[in-house]
């Protein structure tokens, strides 16, 4: 089975297991993730908004357009990355995802990462950042890459799955979109991406 087929299976598991049935009820569809399953870089956002809910793809609205501009600023595009969210159904009225909703989707996000095996994980906003590194404060720690070993699923037979990645916490593009100061900070933080990739791939 190739990576895309494995990802398709995880998508189907979310549907079969009826994860967050209340959100599934109010959302148009599941927004699982898109991009290149062989990418070294995975971006993780918060939850789909209105446009994503209608299209079934992450980051296709205004925040996504800004993200595309930032990707272009470091000579990347959507084919070079994989992108997904913590919560995979749109919360009603774009409210913040609830702790229980984030928890319910975490095993599926971890399964996606286990398949893709990224070298760099770019967390967009506090919900995403704190799902991996609960003690970080996005206002203080944004733009500081951190090398971490993420321990996933502790299988009694094979033990914990460990993924070694560099996490780069960034402000959420939607938050930065209309705030000049944050916008420039996010643009500046983004410019670190090429150096991080170079360092990792040089090894
Ligand atoms: N904001 C997110 O966090 N994710 C999306 O997919 C769109 C907007």
């Amino acid at each position: 089975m190739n990576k895309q087929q494995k990802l398709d299976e995880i998508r189907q598991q979310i549907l079969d297991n009826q994860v967050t049935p209340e959100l599934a009820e109010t959302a148009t569809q599941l927004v699982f993730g898109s991009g290149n399953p062989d990418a070294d870089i995975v971006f993780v956002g918060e939850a789909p908004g209105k446009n994503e809910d209608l299209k079934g793809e992450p980051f296709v609205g205004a925040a996504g357009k800004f993200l595309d501009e930032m990707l272009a600023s470091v000579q990347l595009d959507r084919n070079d990355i994989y992108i997904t969210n913590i919560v995979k159904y749109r919360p009603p009225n774009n409210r913040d995802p609830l702790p229980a909703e984030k928890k319910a989707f975490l095993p599926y996000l971890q399964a996606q990462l286990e398949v893709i095996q990224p070298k760099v994980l770019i967390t967009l906003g506090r919900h995403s950042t704190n799902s991996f590194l609960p003690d970080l404060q996005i206002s203080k720690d944004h733009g500081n890459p951190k090398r971490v070993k993420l321990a996933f699923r502790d299988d009694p037979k094979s033990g914990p799955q460990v993924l070694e990645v560099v996490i780069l916490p960034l402000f959420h593009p939607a938050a930065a979109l209309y705030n000049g100061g944050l916008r420039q900070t996010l643009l500046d933080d983004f410019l670190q991406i090429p150096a991080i990739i170079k360092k990792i791939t040089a090894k």
Side-chain angles (χ1 to χ4, degrees), residues 23-189:
L23 286 187
E25 179 77 29
T26 52
T28 307
Q29 58 189 314
L30 181 69
V31 181
F32 180 70
S34 67
N36 184 350
D38 291 309
D40 285 337
I41 314 173
V42 170
F43 283 74
V44 181
E46 180 179 319
K50 188 171 179 216
N51 293 292
E52 291 76 23
D53 176 66
L54 291 173
K55 213 163 165 207
E57 269 182 54
F59 285 95
V60 291
K65 196 159 168 273
F66 182 34
L67 184 63
D68 285 337
E69 281 170 34
M70 290 189 287
L71 287 170
S73 78
V74 291
Q75 282 78 50
L76 292 173
D77 65 31
R78 297 275 181 130
N79 296 319
D80 300 311
I81 65 160
Y82 187 86
I83 188 159
T84 186
N85 287 302
I86 299 284
V87 166
K88 291 168 171 42
Y89 289 114
R90 180 192 184 199
N93 304 313
N94 293 347
R95 65 155 167 74
D96 278 359
L98 304 174
E101 293 164 352
K102 292 187 273 187
K103 196 169 164 211
F105 276 109
L106 197 57
Y108 301 94
L109 175 62
Q110 292 176 339
Q112 282 175 296
L113 297 175
E114 242 183 278
V115 169
I116 299 170
Q117 294 283 316
K119 296 192 167 78
V120 183
L121 190 59
I122 300 186
T123 54
L124 300 171
R126 78 186 156 90
H127 290 283
S128 174
T129 301
N130 292 145
S131 290
F132 297 100
L133 299 166
D135 297 333
L136 288 202
Q137 262 177 282
I138 191 77
S139 53
K140 189 160 64 70
D141 297 307
H142 67 88
N144 289 325
K146 247 185 174 319
R147 180 174 285 281
V148 296
K149 285 186 187 166
L150 298 175
F152 292 165
R153 179 169 63 80
D154 200 353
D155 184 344
K157 278 199 203 122
S158 53
Q161 289 288 319
V162 175
L163 179 69
E164 276 195 63
V165 277
V166 171
I167 296 189
L168 178 65
L170 296 180
F171 282 115
H172 195 289
L177 201 51
Y178 304 108
N179 174 329
L182 273 195
R183 185 185 163 94
Q184 192 55 50
T185 305
L186 181 51
L187 286 165
D188 292 345
D189 286 349

Side-chain angles (χ1 to χ4, degrees), residues 8-24:
D8 291 344
E9 271 198 359
I10 299 165
R11 183 182 190 284
Q12 191 57 44
Q13 282 167 13
I14 294 176
L15 297 170
D16 292 347
N17 296 341
Q18 303 193 346
V19 179
T20 64
E22 295 85 4
L23 286 187

